[in-house]
């Protein structure tokens, strides 16, 4: 099948590469000419395990192409996926200007039956707006073209996106068109040879499913962080509590790890957008408000612990930080808890030596330049170098190389054997027995 993907960000590039891997002919369109030329050379705009090889192989074999405009003949197809960004507005709502601009562009180019797929995370009712935008362009062109606007939200985890797409646990398609339903089934069946996992529903139902899913996962995280904070005040080890409740199959172990708060491009943005949708519809989202408030507070927990330990002596300290990305497996720094911690520490007069296996280039681009110029933040090229001469170690991202480090070495190179564990990776009993001061989340 010939497909056009508009947008070569995280969602668009993974979608295009994975469809191409299954034998489809895919054109990815992006108005950023520099990015397009980079993709043709195998230079990806983000880190995602397995994606670089997938893009390079399919581009080499001619199944995956890149261009900058729908005017390019290679961009013409019968199925257009909209996969552009929907950044949050100040009020938390999703900004649809890029989605609607693409819809108008599609309306200016289609000439035969076309399926327009909303792959971007968009609020309920967006398909109607896309439909109006396309219809307006067709009226301006004085032509009649049959088309269908459908919803096909993505459920990709950063760090495992290729695996998630190639082996989905479900694919949701929102449409009331039988013709579009048949096309989408043909497109996705190759990913489901074991058993079909396609869920067809109304367009608005599909749009809400994406937000509800992410909000549910964010709720589990904030709930567990709240329990962890209570455990700490009551002398309870939250790790034992986590295992105790996780063994209940109705709850499960996923997304109940206490930590320094969730981040990334999805959970924070989608919870805010869902809260905004509720308010627009005169509904008070008490649970969602609490989820967001807890997460914002949780991002300060490690700084509060450091401040409690060192009092007003933070100024002049050097802290060694392991991990900058909001989670392992990605270089994404958006809404990362590490950014909040760095800002608080640097504002208090501390200096930072940081290491991340993947996210340091992103950090250099996205963090304030004066932090680097003023030697308030230094990136190092090896994890133990971040601890050399540091007053304490702070763990922010649970990358695999951090999970079983050489604690004897850590103890030798730190000025003080102090570990602040923002992801509860380490056993506090063993570390304290080895002479460390240890502070985790709820431990």
């Amino acid at each position: 099948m010939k497909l056009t993907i508009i947008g070569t960000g995280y969602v668009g590039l993974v979608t295009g590469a994975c469809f191409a891997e299954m034998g489809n002919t895919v054109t990815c369109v992006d108005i950023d000419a520099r990015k397009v030329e980079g993709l043709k050379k195998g230079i990806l705009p983000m880190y995602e395990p397995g994606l670089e090889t997938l893009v390079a192989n399919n581009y080499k074999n001619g199944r995956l192409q890149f261009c900058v405009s729908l005017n390019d003949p290679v961009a013409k197809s019968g199925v257009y996926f909209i996969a552009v960004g929907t950044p949050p507005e100040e009020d938390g709502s999703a900004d649809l200007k890029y989605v609607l601009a693409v819809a108008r562009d599609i309306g200016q180019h289609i000439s035969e039956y076309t399926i327009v797929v909303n792959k971007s995370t968009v609020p309920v009712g967006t398909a109607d707006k896309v439909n109006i935008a396309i219809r307006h362009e067709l009226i301006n062109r004085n032509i009649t073209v049959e088309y269908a606007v459908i919803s096909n939200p993505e459920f990709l985890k950063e760090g495992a996106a290729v695996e998630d797409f190639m082996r989905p646990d479900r694919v949701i398609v929102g449409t009331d068109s039988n013709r579009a339903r048949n096309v989408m089934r043909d497109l996705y069946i190759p990913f489901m040879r074991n058993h079909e996992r396609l869920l067809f529903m109304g367009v608005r139902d599909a749009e809400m499913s994406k937000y509800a899913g992410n909000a549910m996962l964010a709720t589990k995280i904030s709930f567990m962080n709240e329990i962890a904070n209570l455990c700490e005040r009551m002398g309870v080890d939250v790790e034992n509590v986590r295992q105790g409740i996780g063994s209940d199959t109705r709850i499960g172990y996923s997304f109940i790890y206490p930590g320094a708060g969730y981040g990334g491009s999805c959970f924070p943005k989608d919870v805010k957008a869902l809260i905004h949708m509720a308010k627009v519809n005169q509904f008070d989202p008490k649970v969602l408000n609490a989820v967001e408030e807890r997460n914002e507070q949780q991002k300060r927990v490690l700084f509060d612990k450091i401040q409690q330990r060192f009092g007003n002596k933070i100024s002049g300290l050097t802290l060694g930080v392991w991990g900058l990305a909001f989670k392992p497996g990605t270089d994404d720094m958006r809404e990362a808890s590490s950014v909040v911690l760095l800002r608080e520490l640097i504002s208090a007069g501390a200096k930072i030596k940081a290491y991340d296996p993947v996210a340091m280039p992103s950090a250099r681009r996205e963090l304030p330049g004066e932090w680097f110029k003023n030697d308030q933040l230094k990136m190092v090229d090896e994890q133990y170098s971040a601890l050399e001469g540091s007053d304490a170690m702070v763990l922010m991202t649970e990358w695999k190389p951090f999970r079983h480090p050489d604690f004897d070495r850590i103890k030798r190179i730190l000025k003080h054997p102090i570990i602040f564990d923002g992801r509860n990776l380490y056993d506090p009993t063993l570390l304290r027995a080895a002479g460390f001061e240890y502070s985790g989340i709820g431990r």
Side-chain angles (χ1 to χ4, degrees), residues 5 9-10 17 24 28 86 109 120 289 291 334 341 343 391 436:
I5 317 290
Y10 188 83
N24 298 286
C28 288
T86 54
H109 287 86
S120 301
N289 283 328
V291 168
R334 286 173 289 184
L341 177 68
R343 185 182 300 116
D391 292 282
F436 282 91

Side-chain angles (χ1 to χ4, degrees), residues 224-283:
M224 202 64 205
N225 282 333
E226 188 135 301
I227 293 297
N229 295 335
L230 179 59
C231 284
E232 188 162 334
R233 285 158 177 76
M234 299 179 68
V236 176
D237 188 339
V238 72
E239 177 61 16
N240 292 327
V241 176
R242 182 190 70 80
Q243 294 185 37
I245 66 173
S247 60
D248 186 331
T249 55
R250 296 170 300 174
I251 298 171
Y253 292 102
S254 298
F255 292 88
I256 60 168
Y257 289 87
Y262 59 75
S265 63
C266 294
F267 288 6
K269 176 173 69 74
D270 292 353
V271 170
K272 286 181 174 68
L274 196 51
I275 289 171
H276 181 266
M277 280 186 262
K279 291 178 179 177
V280 167
N281 287 277
Q282 292 79 52
F283 179 76

